[in-house]
Amino acid sequence: MKVLFIEGPNLNLQGGREPGVYGRVTAGAIRERVQQAAGPLGAEVDFFQSNHEGAIIDRIQAARPEGVAAVVINPGAYTHYSLAIRDALAAVGLPVVEVHLSNIYAREEFRHTSVIAPVAVGQISGFGPHGYVLALEAAVAAAREKNDVRG
Ligand code: DQA
């Protein structure tokens, strides 16, 4: 089962960017944690990060023909206003799990709104890098449920 992880703007800086908010675990180390969790879950993970809205949309659109079963997305600041990413996720018709390192509801008011959440199965917010592992588990479960595969 293929799970595609998509990260939006500035998440390539993870580990050095606002460490008081996002912690010091690097983007690469987070990917390693997810890779390690994937094996026992029977999942194969692919990662994509871009600072560009259109590139993220192109990646979402390519997911279904590639046989991706579920998408995990941390859209970064696009979370709060990208209707184009929301529409792309709705169009692709795959289970989507939204993930955030920080607790977006404990931060500035503009972060309290996610335009992505209504097209996601659910959202994981505030658990730091461990949230990505939780998101992987949720994505695998959602894809299994969708395909009615027991496990
Ligand atoms: C974020 C939260 C967003 O509000 C912010 O713009 C980010 C990171 C998070 O993972 O906590 O870039 O998505």
Side-chain angles (χ1 to χ4, degrees), residues 51-123:
N51 295 324
H52 304 278
E53 188 177 31
I56 293 169
I57 292 164
D58 288 345
R59 191 66 193 88
I60 293 166
Q61 289 184 5
R64 188 179 272 278
E66 279 174 20
V68 168
V71 175
V72 174
I73 186 163
N74 183 347
Y78 285 139
T79 303
H80 314 299
Y81 66 93
S82 179
L83 298 178
I85 291 177
R86 171 197 169 127
D87 282 355
L89 291 168
V92 82
L94 295 171
V96 174
V97 177
E98 179 183 343
V99 65
H100 300 283
L101 294 160
S102 64
N103 178 355
I104 58 173
Y105 302 100
R107 300 183 62 198
E108 302 96 323
E109 199 155 342
F110 71 87
R111 295 187 205 275
H112 298 183
T113 300
S114 168
V115 300
I116 306 301
V119 298
V121 179
Q123 185 194 68

Short mmCIF file of all heavy atoms in Angstrom, two decimals, residues 51-123:
data_model
loop_
_atom_site.label_atom_id
_atom_site.label_comp_id
_atom_site.label_asym_id
_atom_site.label_seq_id
_atom_site.Cartn_x
_atom_site.Cartn_y
_atom_site.Cartn_z
N ASN A 51 7.72 24.32 -2.08
CA ASN A 51 7.34 25.66 -1.62
C ASN A 51 6.36 26.31 -2.59
O ASN A 51 6.01 27.48 -2.41
CB ASN A 51 8.60 26.53 -1.47
CG ASN A 51 9.51 25.99 -0.38
OD1 ASN A 51 9.04 25.50 0.63
ND2 ASN A 51 10.82 26.08 -0.59
N HIS A 52 5.89 25.54 -3.58
CA HIS A 52 5.07 26.10 -4.65
C HIS A 52 3.70 25.41 -4.72
O HIS A 52 3.61 24.19 -4.86
CB HIS A 52 5.80 25.95 -5.99
CG HIS A 52 7.17 26.58 -5.95
ND1 HIS A 52 7.38 27.93 -6.13
CD2 HIS A 52 8.39 26.04 -5.67
CE1 HIS A 52 8.67 28.19 -6.00
NE2 HIS A 52 9.29 27.07 -5.72
N GLU A 53 2.68 26.21 -4.71
CA GLU A 53 1.31 25.69 -4.70
C GLU A 53 1.03 24.80 -5.91
O GLU A 53 0.45 23.71 -5.79
CB GLU A 53 0.34 26.87 -4.66
CG GLU A 53 -1.10 26.49 -4.44
CD GLU A 53 -1.98 27.74 -4.34
OE1 GLU A 53 -1.66 28.76 -4.98
OE2 GLU A 53 -2.99 27.67 -3.62
N GLY A 54 1.42 25.29 -7.11
CA GLY A 54 1.13 24.53 -8.33
C GLY A 54 1.84 23.18 -8.35
O GLY A 54 1.28 22.19 -8.82
N ALA A 55 3.07 23.14 -7.83
CA ALA A 55 3.82 21.87 -7.80
C ALA A 55 3.12 20.87 -6.87
O ALA A 55 3.07 19.67 -7.15
CB ALA A 55 5.25 22.12 -7.34
N ILE A 56 2.57 21.38 -5.78
CA ILE A 56 1.84 20.50 -4.85
C ILE A 56 0.58 19.96 -5.52
O ILE A 56 0.27 18.77 -5.43
CB ILE A 56 1.51 21.27 -3.55
CG1 ILE A 56 2.80 21.57 -2.80
CG2 ILE A 56 0.52 20.48 -2.67
CD1 ILE A 56 2.65 22.56 -1.65
N ILE A 57 -0.10 20.81 -6.25
CA ILE A 57 -1.31 20.38 -6.97
C ILE A 57 -0.97 19.33 -8.02
O ILE A 57 -1.66 18.31 -8.14
CB ILE A 57 -2.03 21.61 -7.57
CG1 ILE A 57 -2.58 22.47 -6.42
CG2 ILE A 57 -3.14 21.19 -8.53
CD1 ILE A 57 -2.97 23.87 -6.82
N ASP A 58 0.12 19.56 -8.77
CA ASP A 58 0.54 18.58 -9.78
C ASP A 58 0.82 17.23 -9.13
O ASP A 58 0.46 16.17 -9.66
CB ASP A 58 1.80 19.06 -10.51
CG ASP A 58 1.53 20.21 -11.46
OD1 ASP A 58 0.35 20.47 -11.79
OD2 ASP A 58 2.51 20.88 -11.87
N ARG A 59 1.46 17.26 -7.95
CA ARG A 59 1.81 16.00 -7.26
C ARG A 59 0.55 15.27 -6.79
O ARG A 59 0.46 14.04 -6.87
CB ARG A 59 2.73 16.30 -6.06
CG ARG A 59 3.35 15.07 -5.44
CD ARG A 59 4.33 14.41 -6.40
NE ARG A 59 4.73 13.07 -5.98
CZ ARG A 59 4.08 11.94 -6.29
NH1 ARG A 59 2.97 11.98 -7.00
NH2 ARG A 59 4.53 10.77 -5.89
N ILE A 60 -0.41 16.04 -6.30
CA ILE A 60 -1.68 15.43 -5.86
C ILE A 60 -2.38 14.78 -7.06
O ILE A 60 -2.86 13.64 -6.98
CB ILE A 60 -2.59 16.49 -5.20
CG1 ILE A 60 -1.98 16.96 -3.88
CG2 ILE A 60 -4.01 15.93 -4.97
CD1 ILE A 60 -2.61 18.24 -3.30
N GLN A 61 -2.40 15.49 -8.18
CA GLN A 61 -3.10 14.96 -9.36
C GLN A 61 -2.44 13.69 -9.90
O GLN A 61 -3.11 12.83 -10.46
CB GLN A 61 -3.13 16.02 -10.47
CG GLN A 61 -4.08 17.17 -10.17
CD GLN A 61 -4.17 18.16 -11.31
OE1 GLN A 61 -3.60 17.95 -12.38
NE2 GLN A 61 -4.88 19.24 -11.09
N ALA A 62 -1.13 13.57 -9.70
CA ALA A 62 -0.41 12.39 -10.21
C ALA A 62 -0.59 11.17 -9.31
O ALA A 62 -0.26 10.05 -9.72
CB ALA A 62 1.08 12.70 -10.34
N ALA A 63 -1.13 11.37 -8.12
CA ALA A 63 -1.15 10.29 -7.12
C ALA A 63 -1.99 9.09 -7.54
O ALA A 63 -1.55 7.94 -7.42
CB ALA A 63 -1.63 10.83 -5.77
N ARG A 64 -3.19 9.33 -8.01
CA ARG A 64 -4.08 8.21 -8.32
C ARG A 64 -3.53 7.31 -9.44
O ARG A 64 -3.47 6.09 -9.27
CB ARG A 64 -5.50 8.70 -8.62
CG ARG A 64 -6.48 7.56 -8.76
CD ARG A 64 -7.87 8.07 -9.04
NE ARG A 64 -8.59 8.36 -7.82
CZ ARG A 64 -9.21 7.44 -7.09
NH1 ARG A 64 -9.18 6.18 -7.44
NH2 ARG A 64 -9.88 7.78 -6.01
N PRO A 65 -3.12 7.90 -10.58
CA PRO A 65 -2.55 7.04 -11.63
C PRO A 65 -1.34 6.24 -11.17
O PRO A 65 -1.05 5.17 -11.72
CB PRO A 65 -2.16 8.01 -12.74
CG PRO A 65 -2.70 9.33 -12.39
CD PRO A 65 -3.22 9.30 -11.00
N GLU A 66 -0.64 6.73 -10.14
CA GLU A 66 0.53 6.01 -9.62
C GLU A 66 0.15 4.89 -8.65
O GLU A 66 1.01 4.23 -8.11
CB GLU A 66 1.41 6.98 -8.81
CG GLU A 66 2.30 7.82 -9.62
CD GLU A 66 3.01 8.85 -8.74
OE1 GLU A 66 3.09 8.68 -7.51
OE2 GLU A 66 3.45 9.84 -9.31
N GLY A 67 -1.13 4.79 -8.34
CA GLY A 67 -1.56 3.73 -7.42
C GLY A 67 -1.41 4.07 -5.96
O GLY A 67 -1.39 3.19 -5.10
N VAL A 68 -1.32 5.36 -5.64
CA VAL A 68 -1.27 5.79 -4.23
C VAL A 68 -2.61 5.48 -3.56
O VAL A 68 -3.67 5.71 -4.15
CB VAL A 68 -0.95 7.31 -4.15
CG1 VAL A 68 -1.17 7.85 -2.75
CG2 VAL A 68 0.48 7.57 -4.62
N ALA A 69 -2.55 4.92 -2.34
CA ALA A 69 -3.78 4.52 -1.65
C ALA A 69 -4.31 5.61 -0.72
O ALA A 69 -5.51 5.65 -0.42
CB ALA A 69 -3.53 3.24 -0.86
N ALA A 70 -3.40 6.45 -0.22
CA ALA A 70 -3.81 7.51 0.72
C ALA A 70 -2.77 8.61 0.71
O ALA A 70 -1.59 8.35 0.41
CB ALA A 70 -3.97 6.96 2.13
N VAL A 71 -3.21 9.81 1.05
CA VAL A 71 -2.31 10.97 1.08
C VAL A 71 -2.26 11.53 2.50
O VAL A 71 -3.31 11.71 3.13
CB VAL A 71 -2.81 12.07 0.11
CG1 VAL A 71 -1.95 13.33 0.22
CG2 VAL A 71 -2.83 11.56 -1.33
N VAL A 72 -1.06 11.79 2.98
CA VAL A 72 -0.86 12.55 4.22
C VAL A 72 -0.31 13.90 3.81
O VAL A 72 0.66 13.96 3.05
CB VAL A 72 0.13 11.85 5.18
CG1 VAL A 72 0.41 12.73 6.39
CG2 VAL A 72 -0.40 10.48 5.61
N ILE A 73 -0.92 14.96 4.28
CA ILE A 73 -0.44 16.28 3.86
C ILE A 73 -0.28 17.23 5.04
O ILE A 73 -1.16 17.33 5.89
CB ILE A 73 -1.36 16.90 2.77
CG1 ILE A 73 -0.78 18.22 2.23
CG2 ILE A 73 -2.79 17.08 3.26
CD1 ILE A 73 -1.38 18.66 0.90
N ASN A 74 0.89 17.87 5.08
CA ASN A 74 1.10 19.03 5.93
C ASN A 74 1.23 20.21 4.97
O ASN A 74 2.31 20.43 4.41
CB ASN A 74 2.35 18.90 6.79
CG ASN A 74 2.51 20.11 7.72
OD1 ASN A 74 1.82 21.13 7.55
ND2 ASN A 74 3.42 20.02 8.68
N PRO A 75 0.16 20.93 4.75
CA PRO A 75 0.19 21.98 3.73
C PRO A 75 0.90 23.26 4.17
O PRO A 75 0.95 24.22 3.40
CB PRO A 75 -1.30 22.27 3.46
CG PRO A 75 -2.07 21.22 4.22
CD PRO A 75 -1.19 20.78 5.33
N GLY A 76 1.46 23.28 5.40
CA GLY A 76 2.09 24.50 5.89
C GLY A 76 1.07 25.62 5.89
O GLY A 76 -0.12 25.40 6.16
N ALA A 77 1.51 26.83 5.55
CA ALA A 77 0.59 27.98 5.59
C ALA A 77 -0.54 27.86 4.57
O ALA A 77 -1.59 28.49 4.74
CB ALA A 77 1.37 29.27 5.37
N TYR A 78 -0.36 27.03 3.52
CA TYR A 78 -1.45 26.83 2.56
C TYR A 78 -2.70 26.24 3.23
O TYR A 78 -3.80 26.38 2.71
CB TYR A 78 -1.02 25.92 1.42
CG TYR A 78 -0.09 26.55 0.40
CD1 TYR A 78 1.00 25.84 -0.11
CD2 TYR A 78 -0.31 27.84 -0.07
CE1 TYR A 78 1.85 26.40 -1.04
CE2 TYR A 78 0.54 28.41 -1.00
CZ TYR A 78 1.62 27.69 -1.49
OH TYR A 78 2.46 28.25 -2.42
N THR A 79 -2.48 25.60 4.36
CA THR A 79 -3.61 25.05 5.14
C THR A 79 -4.73 26.07 5.29
O THR A 79 -5.91 25.72 5.24
CB THR A 79 -3.12 24.74 6.59
OG1 THR A 79 -2.03 23.83 6.50
CG2 THR A 79 -4.22 24.17 7.45
N HIS A 80 -4.30 27.30 5.50
CA HIS A 80 -5.26 28.31 5.95
C HIS A 80 -5.96 29.05 4.82
O HIS A 80 -6.90 29.79 5.07
CB HIS A 80 -4.53 29.29 6.89
CG HIS A 80 -3.67 28.58 7.90
ND1 HIS A 80 -4.21 27.70 8.82
CD2 HIS A 80 -2.32 28.55 8.10
CE1 HIS A 80 -3.22 27.19 9.56
NE2 HIS A 80 -2.07 27.69 9.14
N TYR A 81 -5.48 28.83 3.57
CA TYR A 81 -6.14 29.59 2.49
C TYR A 81 -6.10 28.97 1.11
O TYR A 81 -6.69 29.53 0.19
CB TYR A 81 -5.56 31.02 2.41
CG TYR A 81 -4.11 31.08 1.99
CD1 TYR A 81 -3.76 31.24 0.65
CD2 TYR A 81 -3.09 30.96 2.92
CE1 TYR A 81 -2.43 31.29 0.25
CE2 TYR A 81 -1.76 31.01 2.54
CZ TYR A 81 -1.44 31.17 1.20
OH TYR A 81 -0.13 31.21 0.81
N SER A 82 -5.45 27.83 0.93
CA SER A 82 -5.36 27.33 -0.46
C SER A 82 -6.57 26.50 -0.86
O SER A 82 -6.61 25.28 -0.67
CB SER A 82 -4.09 26.53 -0.71
OG SER A 82 -4.12 26.07 -2.06
N LEU A 83 -7.51 27.18 -1.47
CA LEU A 83 -8.69 26.46 -1.99
C LEU A 83 -8.29 25.58 -3.17
O LEU A 83 -8.93 24.57 -3.45
CB LEU A 83 -9.76 27.47 -2.42
CG LEU A 83 -10.28 28.35 -1.27
CD1 LEU A 83 -11.29 29.35 -1.78
CD2 LEU A 83 -10.89 27.49 -0.16
N ALA A 84 -7.20 25.95 -3.87
CA ALA A 84 -6.76 25.15 -5.01
C ALA A 84 -6.21 23.79 -4.55
O ALA A 84 -6.48 22.76 -5.18
CB ALA A 84 -5.70 25.92 -5.80
N ILE A 85 -5.49 23.78 -3.43
CA ILE A 85 -5.00 22.49 -2.90
C ILE A 85 -6.18 21.69 -2.35
O ILE A 85 -6.29 20.48 -2.58
CB ILE A 85 -3.89 22.73 -1.84
CG1 ILE A 85 -2.64 23.26 -2.53
CG2 ILE A 85 -3.59 21.44 -1.07
CD1 ILE A 85 -1.49 23.60 -1.59
N ARG A 86 -7.08 22.35 -1.70
CA ARG A 86 -8.28 21.65 -1.22
C ARG A 86 -9.03 21.00 -2.39
O ARG A 86 -9.42 19.84 -2.32
CB ARG A 86 -9.18 22.66 -0.51
CG ARG A 86 -10.56 22.11 -0.16
CD ARG A 86 -11.49 23.26 0.15
NE ARG A 86 -12.86 22.85 0.25
CZ ARG A 86 -13.64 23.13 1.29
NH1 ARG A 86 -13.17 23.77 2.32
NH2 ARG A 86 -14.89 22.74 1.31
N ASP A 87 -9.23 21.76 -3.48
CA ASP A 87 -9.95 21.21 -4.63
C ASP A 87 -9.20 20.03 -5.25
O ASP A 87 -9.83 19.07 -5.69
CB ASP A 87 -10.17 22.30 -5.69
CG ASP A 87 -11.29 23.26 -5.33
OD1 ASP A 87 -11.98 23.04 -4.32
OD2 ASP A 87 -11.49 24.24 -6.09
N ALA A 88 -7.88 20.12 -5.31
CA ALA A 88 -7.08 19.03 -5.87
C ALA A 88 -7.26 17.76 -5.04
O ALA A 88 -7.41 16.65 -5.57
CB ALA A 88 -5.60 19.41 -5.95
N LEU A 89 -7.26 17.92 -3.71
CA LEU A 89 -7.43 16.76 -2.82
C LEU A 89 -8.83 16.17 -2.99
O LEU A 89 -9.00 14.95 -3.03
CB LEU A 89 -7.19 17.17 -1.36
CG LEU A 89 -5.74 17.52 -1.02
CD1 LEU A 89 -5.65 18.18 0.36
CD2 LEU A 89 -4.83 16.28 -1.07
N ALA A 90 -9.82 17.04 -3.11
CA ALA A 90 -11.19 16.55 -3.31
C ALA A 90 -11.29 15.82 -4.65
O ALA A 90 -11.94 14.77 -4.75
CB ALA A 90 -12.18 17.71 -3.25
N ALA A 91 -10.62 16.35 -5.67
CA ALA A 91 -10.71 15.77 -7.01
C ALA A 91 -10.07 14.39 -7.09
O ALA A 91 -10.56 13.51 -7.78
CB ALA A 91 -10.04 16.71 -8.02
N VAL A 92 -8.98 14.20 -6.36
CA VAL A 92 -8.24 12.94 -6.48
C VAL A 92 -8.99 11.78 -5.80
O VAL A 92 -8.80 10.62 -6.15
CB VAL A 92 -6.78 13.11 -5.97
CG1 VAL A 92 -6.67 13.00 -4.47
CG2 VAL A 92 -5.84 12.15 -6.66
N GLY A 93 -9.85 12.13 -4.86
CA GLY A 93 -10.76 11.12 -4.30
C GLY A 93 -10.10 10.04 -3.45
O GLY A 93 -10.66 8.97 -3.26
N LEU A 94 -8.92 10.32 -2.92
CA LEU A 94 -8.23 9.35 -2.04
C LEU A 94 -8.40 9.80 -0.59
O LEU A 94 -8.59 10.98 -0.33
CB LEU A 94 -6.73 9.33 -2.38
CG LEU A 94 -6.36 8.81 -3.77
CD1 LEU A 94 -4.88 9.06 -4.04
CD2 LEU A 94 -6.69 7.33 -3.90
N PRO A 95 -8.30 8.87 0.36
CA PRO A 95 -8.33 9.29 1.77
C PRO A 95 -7.16 10.24 2.07
O PRO A 95 -6.03 9.97 1.67
CB PRO A 95 -8.17 7.99 2.56
CG PRO A 95 -8.39 6.88 1.61
CD PRO A 95 -8.12 7.41 0.23
N VAL A 96 -7.47 11.32 2.75
CA VAL A 96 -6.47 12.34 3.07
C VAL A 96 -6.40 12.50 4.59
O VAL A 96 -7.43 12.60 5.25
CB VAL A 96 -6.85 13.71 2.44
CG1 VAL A 96 -5.89 14.81 2.89
CG2 VAL A 96 -6.89 13.62 0.93
N VAL A 97 -5.18 12.51 5.12
CA VAL A 97 -4.97 12.84 6.53
C VAL A 97 -4.16 14.12 6.58
O VAL A 97 -3.09 14.22 5.96
CB VAL A 97 -4.22 11.70 7.27
CG1 VAL A 97 -3.93 12.10 8.72
CG2 VAL A 97 -5.01 10.40 7.21
N GLU A 98 -4.68 15.12 7.28
CA GLU A 98 -3.98 16.41 7.44
C GLU A 98 -3.15 16.35 8.72
O GLU A 98 -3.65 15.91 9.75
CB GLU A 98 -5.03 17.52 7.53
CG GLU A 98 -4.44 18.89 7.71
CD GLU A 98 -5.53 19.96 7.88
OE1 GLU A 98 -6.71 19.71 7.55
OE2 GLU A 98 -5.19 21.05 8.39
N VAL A 99 -1.92 16.78 8.63
CA VAL A 99 -1.05 16.74 9.80
C VAL A 99 -0.33 18.07 9.99
O VAL A 99 0.04 18.73 9.02
CB VAL A 99 -0.05 15.54 9.72
CG1 VAL A 99 0.94 15.69 8.58
CG2 VAL A 99 0.70 15.35 11.03
N HIS A 100 -0.17 18.45 11.25
CA HIS A 100 0.61 19.64 11.61
C HIS A 100 1.52 19.29 12.77
O HIS A 100 1.09 18.60 13.71
CB HIS A 100 -0.30 20.80 12.02
CG HIS A 100 -1.23 21.19 10.91
ND1 HIS A 100 -0.80 21.93 9.84
CD2 HIS A 100 -2.53 20.89 10.69
CE1 HIS A 100 -1.81 22.08 9.00
NE2 HIS A 100 -2.87 21.45 9.48
N LEU A 101 2.73 19.82 12.72
CA LEU A 101 3.67 19.61 13.82
C LEU A 101 3.17 20.33 15.07
O LEU A 101 3.17 19.77 16.17
CB LEU A 101 5.05 20.13 13.43
CG LEU A 101 5.72 19.35 12.29
CD1 LEU A 101 6.80 20.19 11.63
CD2 LEU A 101 6.29 18.04 12.82
N SER A 102 2.78 21.58 14.89
CA SER A 102 2.32 22.38 16.03
C SER A 102 0.81 22.23 16.19
O SER A 102 0.12 21.75 15.28
CB SER A 102 2.67 23.85 15.78
OG SER A 102 1.96 24.35 14.66
N ASN A 103 0.33 22.63 17.36
CA ASN A 103 -1.12 22.65 17.59
C ASN A 103 -1.65 23.97 17.03
O ASN A 103 -1.54 25.01 17.67
CB ASN A 103 -1.41 22.53 19.08
CG ASN A 103 -2.90 22.60 19.37
OD1 ASN A 103 -3.71 22.84 18.48
ND2 ASN A 103 -3.26 22.40 20.63
N ILE A 104 -2.22 23.89 15.83
CA ILE A 104 -2.62 25.13 15.15
C ILE A 104 -3.71 25.89 15.92
O ILE A 104 -3.85 27.10 15.76
CB ILE A 104 -3.04 24.89 13.68
CG1 ILE A 104 -4.19 23.90 13.55
CG2 ILE A 104 -1.85 24.46 12.84
CD1 ILE A 104 -4.74 23.76 12.13
N TYR A 105 -4.43 25.19 16.79
CA TYR A 105 -5.52 25.83 17.55
C TYR A 105 -5.01 26.56 18.80
O TYR A 105 -5.76 27.29 19.42
CB TYR A 105 -6.59 24.78 17.92
CG TYR A 105 -7.10 24.15 16.66
CD1 TYR A 105 -6.64 22.90 16.25
CD2 TYR A 105 -7.97 24.84 15.82
CE1 TYR A 105 -7.06 22.35 15.05
CE2 TYR A 105 -8.39 24.30 14.62
CZ TYR A 105 -7.93 23.06 14.24
OH TYR A 105 -8.32 22.53 13.04
N ALA A 106 -3.74 26.33 19.14
CA ALA A 106 -3.16 27.00 20.30
C ALA A 106 -2.29 28.18 19.86
O ALA A 106 -1.57 28.76 20.66
CB ALA A 106 -2.32 26.00 21.10
N ARG A 107 -2.38 28.52 18.57
CA ARG A 107 -1.52 29.57 18.02
C ARG A 107 -2.36 30.76 17.55
O ARG A 107 -3.47 30.96 18.00
CB ARG A 107 -0.65 28.97 16.90
CG ARG A 107 0.24 27.82 17.42
CD ARG A 107 1.13 27.27 16.35
NE ARG A 107 2.06 28.29 15.87
CZ ARG A 107 2.73 28.19 14.71
NH1 ARG A 107 2.57 27.12 13.94
NH2 ARG A 107 3.56 29.15 14.34
N GLU A 108 -1.80 31.58 16.66
CA GLU A 108 -2.51 32.77 16.18
C GLU A 108 -3.87 32.38 15.60
O GLU A 108 -4.02 31.31 15.01
CB GLU A 108 -1.70 33.49 15.10
CG GLU A 108 -0.31 33.93 15.51
CD GLU A 108 0.76 32.93 15.09
OE1 GLU A 108 0.51 31.70 15.15
OE2 GLU A 108 1.86 33.37 14.71
N GLU A 109 -4.79 33.33 15.68
CA GLU A 109 -6.15 33.03 15.23
C GLU A 109 -6.21 32.63 13.74
O GLU A 109 -7.01 31.78 13.36
CB GLU A 109 -7.04 34.23 15.50
CG GLU A 109 -8.49 33.81 15.48
CD GLU A 109 -9.39 34.72 16.28
OE1 GLU A 109 -8.88 35.47 17.13
OE2 GLU A 109 -10.60 34.67 16.03
N PHE A 110 -5.35 33.24 12.91
CA PHE A 110 -5.43 32.90 11.47
C PHE A 110 -5.08 31.44 11.21
O PHE A 110 -5.43 30.89 10.17
CB PHE A 110 -4.54 33.85 10.62
CG PHE A 110 -3.06 33.64 10.76
CD1 PHE A 110 -2.40 32.70 9.98
CD2 PHE A 110 -2.31 34.39 11.65
CE1 PHE A 110 -1.02 32.51 10.08
CE2 PHE A 110 -0.94 34.21 11.78
CZ PHE A 110 -0.29 33.26 11.00
N ARG A 111 -4.42 30.79 12.19
CA ARG A 111 -4.08 29.38 12.01
C ARG A 111 -5.21 28.45 12.47
O ARG A 111 -5.13 27.23 12.33
CB ARG A 111 -2.80 29.03 12.78
CG ARG A 111 -1.58 29.73 12.27
CD ARG A 111 -0.32 29.22 12.95
NE ARG A 111 0.72 30.22 12.92
CZ ARG A 111 1.57 30.41 11.90
NH1 ARG A 111 1.52 29.64 10.85
NH2 ARG A 111 2.48 31.37 11.95
N HIS A 112 -6.25 29.00 13.06
CA HIS A 112 -7.32 28.16 13.59
C HIS A 112 -8.24 27.63 12.50
O HIS A 112 -9.04 26.74 12.75
CB HIS A 112 -8.17 28.93 14.62
CG HIS A 112 -7.39 29.37 15.82
ND1 HIS A 112 -7.95 30.02 16.89
CD2 HIS A 112 -6.07 29.24 16.12
CE1 HIS A 112 -7.03 30.30 17.79
NE2 HIS A 112 -5.87 29.84 17.35
N THR A 113 -8.14 28.23 11.31
CA THR A 113 -8.99 27.77 10.20
C THR A 113 -8.17 26.93 9.24
O THR A 113 -7.10 27.35 8.80
CB THR A 113 -9.57 28.98 9.43
OG1 THR A 113 -10.34 29.74 10.34
CG2 THR A 113 -10.43 28.53 8.26
N SER A 114 -8.68 25.75 8.93
CA SER A 114 -8.08 24.93 7.88
C SER A 114 -9.11 24.76 6.77
O SER A 114 -10.20 24.23 7.01
CB SER A 114 -7.69 23.55 8.42
OG SER A 114 -7.38 22.69 7.32
N VAL A 115 -8.74 25.19 5.55
CA VAL A 115 -9.65 24.95 4.41
C VAL A 115 -9.46 23.54 3.87
O VAL A 115 -10.22 23.10 3.01
CB VAL A 115 -9.46 26.01 3.28
CG1 VAL A 115 -9.75 27.41 3.81
CG2 VAL A 115 -8.08 25.93 2.65
N ILE A 116 -8.45 22.84 4.38
CA ILE A 116 -8.17 21.47 3.95
C ILE A 116 -9.01 20.46 4.75
O ILE A 116 -9.44 19.43 4.23
CB ILE A 116 -6.65 21.14 4.14
CG1 ILE A 116 -5.76 22.19 3.43
CG2 ILE A 116 -6.32 19.73 3.69
CD1 ILE A 116 -5.96 22.34 1.94
N ALA A 117 -9.23 20.76 6.03
CA ALA A 117 -9.88 19.80 6.94
C ALA A 117 -11.19 19.23 6.40
O ALA A 117 -11.44 18.02 6.55
CB ALA A 117 -10.08 20.44 8.31
N PRO A 118 -12.05 20.03 5.75
CA PRO A 118 -13.32 19.46 5.27
C PRO A 118 -13.17 18.37 4.20
O PRO A 118 -14.11 17.60 3.99
CB PRO A 118 -14.09 20.67 4.72
CG PRO A 118 -13.48 21.85 5.42
CD PRO A 118 -12.03 21.50 5.59
N VAL A 119 -12.02 18.32 3.51
CA VAL A 119 -11.85 17.26 2.51
C VAL A 119 -10.92 16.15 3.02
O VAL A 119 -10.55 15.25 2.27
CB VAL A 119 -11.35 17.81 1.14
CG1 VAL A 119 -12.37 18.79 0.57
CG2 VAL A 119 -9.97 18.46 1.25
N ALA A 120 -10.54 16.23 4.29
CA ALA A 120 -9.69 15.20 4.90
C ALA A 120 -10.56 14.24 5.72
O ALA A 120 -11.65 14.61 6.17
CB ALA A 120 -8.64 15.84 5.79
N VAL A 121 -10.05 13.03 5.90
CA VAL A 121 -10.72 12.10 6.81
C VAL A 121 -10.62 12.66 8.22
O VAL A 121 -11.57 12.61 9.01
CB VAL A 121 -10.06 10.70 6.74
CG1 VAL A 121 -10.74 9.73 7.71
CG2 VAL A 121 -10.08 10.15 5.33
N GLY A 122 -9.46 13.21 8.53
CA GLY A 122 -9.25 13.80 9.85
C GLY A 122 -7.95 14.55 9.91
O GLY A 122 -7.19 14.59 8.93
N GLN A 123 -7.69 15.12 11.08
CA GLN A 123 -6.53 16.01 11.24
C GLN A 123 -5.77 15.64 12.51
O GLN A 123 -6.39 15.33 13.53
CB GLN A 123 -7.05 17.44 11.36
CG GLN A 123 -6.00 18.51 11.42
CD GLN A 123 -6.61 19.82 11.88
OE1 GLN A 123 -7.02 19.95 13.03
NE2 GLN A 123 -6.69 20.78 10.98
#
